[in-house]
Amino acid sequence: MGTPVTIRHDGEIAIVEIDNPPVNAVGQAVRQGLWDAVATLDADPQIEAVLLTCAGRTFIAGADIREFDGGALEPWLPEVVERIHAARKPWTAVLFGTVLGGGLETALGCHYRIAHPDTKLGLPEVSLGLVPGAGGTQRVPRISGAAAAVKLVTTGAPICTEEAERMGLIDRIVTDLPADALHFARDTAAKPVPRLDPGPAQTDLTSEDWEELREDVTRKARGQISPVRGFDTVRKAFETDLAEGMKLERQAFMDLKASAQSQALRHAFFAERAVAKPAALDGVTPREVASLAIIGGGLMGSGIATAALTSGLPVTVVEQSEEAAAGARDRIAGNLASAVKRGKMTEDQRDATLARLTTATGYEAVAEADMVIEAVFEDTDVKRAVFDALATHARGDAILATNTSYIDPTSFTGAVPNPDRIMGLHFFSPAHIMRLVEVVRTPDTAAEVLAAGFALAKRMRKVAVLSGICDGFIGNRILGAYGRMAGYLLEDGASPAQIDGAMKAFGMPMGPFEMFDMAGLQIGYSNRKREAATRPADQRYSRIPDLIVEDGALGQKTGRGYYAYDDGSRVARPSPETDAIIACEREARGIAPRSFSDEEIVAMLHAVQVNEAAAILEEGIAERPLDIDVVKMMGYGYPRWRGGPMQEADARGTDTVLATMRGIAEADPGSWTVSPLLARLGADGTPFSTLDK
Ligand code: 3H9
């Protein structure tokens, strides 16, 4: 392969172009190319100014993340940036696309920056568990001041060109490229080359202000270390000169690069992209879907409809009555109104989106749809009635999907001819916000149909994960094991507050009991009654959840569940009534409450999830451990900086997880069986990631 950096001339202007698809990441060859270009152009008497630009869809989108697992290859990016800044000729970066991380830092090394209006700029390193490592924490404070630098570095959120111009990060917004760029460069040739002041950056912030800001960053980081380290590194820009600040930044970058959190976040980055490419769909062309019908316009159906309409599809929602259809339309309109409020769409876009919605009360309305998604009540008979109707009313080649979250789709789709067009599309609630979709394949589903599920998810800007059939599919099945273990821990002596507190300290947005209370305890109660007949006789059954429901406490909506809630409040307080039920039941079962450490609670709740996940992998329900990680991160709030339960298992050591799981299973063999896959990997500590092909 030739060099990714080439130089061409337009009169006295040199155009340095990086061509490193797909996103022009600065890998070693690009760094070397830029390093050499500076020397070549400094020595070229014909050249008076330089434009730095990129081929393809974007200016540099960052350092090459794939290089971070090995040692740093020379030349290092900070040195390349410094070398560009020290060049004798003025360099102008021509920005477009997504100018991120090392891309923005390279641009900041240039003496000028011009940008196309649609450009997004940012320092997203925190989302990879890092801090900017090529001057971002030192140059932005010197150019834009403290508040802007803290925001860019600690949130990682990209900004638009207007904001970047206000911050002084770009000198001009240009629309006519490359002509405007050539003009701009010619103007720079006549001026002295501007250099960044290497002294400490200036600020009015007092040390109290800095402390307050730090507290805010720490609170929002919720256990993630990189935003706080990024903050501290930015602050150094106001205390030291540039050279010293660069050294401190390099140290922070290298420390974090080696950290478990950064490894987990890098895993999350690549896993979220890899799930879109399951082996089962290799080379498969999705079936075309240009119109959608949804059966059921409740919370779930309306959410799915909102996402589909927003993606540009025409959608027909079928309800049972005019009143219910009007309710669905109102819900969808409400979802779109809040999108307008959050600045996600304009009022005109909202009107155009809503104009693609049709509501109807009869199945005739689905006759033309390329795909029909059933989103009715989670009950086999209700769903069967829907599919019986679809068998006659939907087009013979229409794709038929069910949004069931637990039930085997083959148990209610028997009447449908051509079952190769049936699949599950398990959206998460609220479906217009949550990004995860489990695409469930039945033994009959055609690959092009599954691919259509993936294409639909992508179109809706969601992330699809392929799942086979089992009770609860990937996510809810693992949730089942988690909930069961949480219930046993509670019965054995831990309080809801301790268990929830331990899981929140681990990084979960809420603990299991707060989650149950929020979701409502009634559904779990009904599920347990339904499962009673098939539950293994020797499996431990904690009656506490049933006793709480039977005492009239159904969770937040009734003001009491595992916790008590003041009227309309979501703040959980201990509930003396519920605590009494727990204590009574322990006594009735002859359980002497024991104490658990928070670490023990976390390790046990983690181990049972990994154990269930390992069974899921062995059964071929999920293709790879990374699929499971993405489901848990995107659907259940598993902290990204832990990379999901399988990545966490690798970080703890599969041998350690196995030992914990063995302890659990030996104490209660009727309830738990160690998965043979976990036993195999854990025997010598082989990581799950070895199965991520
Ligand atoms: C950094 O810069 C550190 C410096 O401060 C200091 C250094 C010393 N590297 O997302 P897409 C791949 S840290 C390697 O599907 P989109 C990606 O895996 C970096 N590969 O496209 C995918 O590969 P595949 C700071 C990368 O249009 C393909 O490109 N920068 C990188 O939806 C297409 O990606 C970031 O964190 C990379 N940096 O979104 C930016 N970026 O086709 C990270 C992408 O094999 N990147 N790939 O699956 C992004 O946010 C998005 O990719 C981007 C494009 C917005 C650029």
Side-chain angles (χ1 to χ4, degrees), residues 220-454:
K220 290 187 181 138
R222 295 166 36 108
Q224 198 184 319
I225 50 181
S226 59
V228 184
R229 190 81 191 258
F231 176 89
D232 291 343
T233 315
V234 165
R235 189 173 175 184
K236 290 290 176 210
F238 298 87
E239 296 167 358
T240 61
D241 62 23
L242 183 60
E244 180 61 20
M246 289 297 295
K247 268 193 225 150
L248 295 167
E249 181 194 79
R250 180 86 192 153
Q251 193 56 52
F253 178 80
M254 297 305 280
D255 288 351
L256 290 171
K257 187 161 82 95
S259 70
Q261 287 198 1
S262 176
Q263 282 165 23
L265 284 159
R266 273 137 55 193
H267 164 74
F269 178 86
F270 288 114
E272 277 165 17
R273 284 157 180 81
V275 287
K277 300 167 197 156
L281 300 186
D282 207 12
V284 177
T285 309
R287 258 198 229 170
E288 196 76 30
V289 173
S291 60
L292 192 67
I294 297 171
I295 312 299
L299 210 60
M300 197 38 115
S302 300
I304 300 170
T306 307
L309 289 163
T310 308
S311 80
L313 281 174
V315 176
T316 302
V317 173
V318 179
E319 258 297 353
Q320 281 175 314
S321 66
E322 291 293 350
E323 203 187 344
R329 178 174 285 277
D330 286 350
R331 262 188 295 280
I332 294 165
N335 292 342
L336 294 174
S338 61
V340 172
K341 219 171 171 181
R342 283 179 290 131
K344 300 272 176 206
M345 62 168 66
T346 63
E347 293 194 352
D348 287 350
Q349 284 167 331
R350 183 223 24 222
D351 295 345
T353 306
L354 207 50
R356 287 191 286 275
L357 172 67
T358 310
T359 49
T361 54
Y363 277 98
E364 302 73 35
V366 309
E368 296 302 317
D370 292 333
M371 186 192 280
V372 186
I373 302 177
E374 164 277 307
V376 300
F377 190 63
E378 185 77 352
D379 176 279
T380 308
D381 293 333
V382 178
K383 289 190 187 288
R384 186 177 300 113
V386 170
F387 276 86
D388 287 355
L390 292 178
T392 41
H393 288 98
R395 243 175 36 215
D397 64 343
I399 295 174
L400 305 181
T402 165
N403 180 52
T404 176
S405 45
Y406 278 94
I407 313 172
D408 178 348
T410 62
S411 69
F412 54 78
T413 56
V416 176
N418 311 333
D420 64 341
R421 62 199 172 113
I422 297 174
M423 68 177 153
L425 284 181
H426 178 209
F427 289 85
F428 286 66
S429 188
H432 58 298
I433 308 273
M434 294 288 285
R435 292 189 59 219
L436 180 66
V437 185
E438 286 176 323
V439 177
V440 180
R441 87 167 129 176
T442 78
D444 298 311
T445 317
E448 311 84 70
V449 169
L450 291 172
F454 274 74

Side-chain angles (χ1 to χ4, degrees), residues 22-23 25 57-58 61-66 68 77-78 98 100-103 105 124-125 127-128 130-134 250 253 269-270 273-274 277:
V23 297
R57 57 172 153 136
T58 181
D64 188 338
I65 304 166
R66 285 165 309 190
F68 290 176
L77 190 58
T98 43
L100 303 174
E105 293 172 301
E125 284 86 344
S127 59
L128 296 166
L130 299 166
V131 296
R250 180 86 192 153
F253 178 80
F269 178 86
F270 288 114
R273 284 157 180 81
K277 300 167 197 156

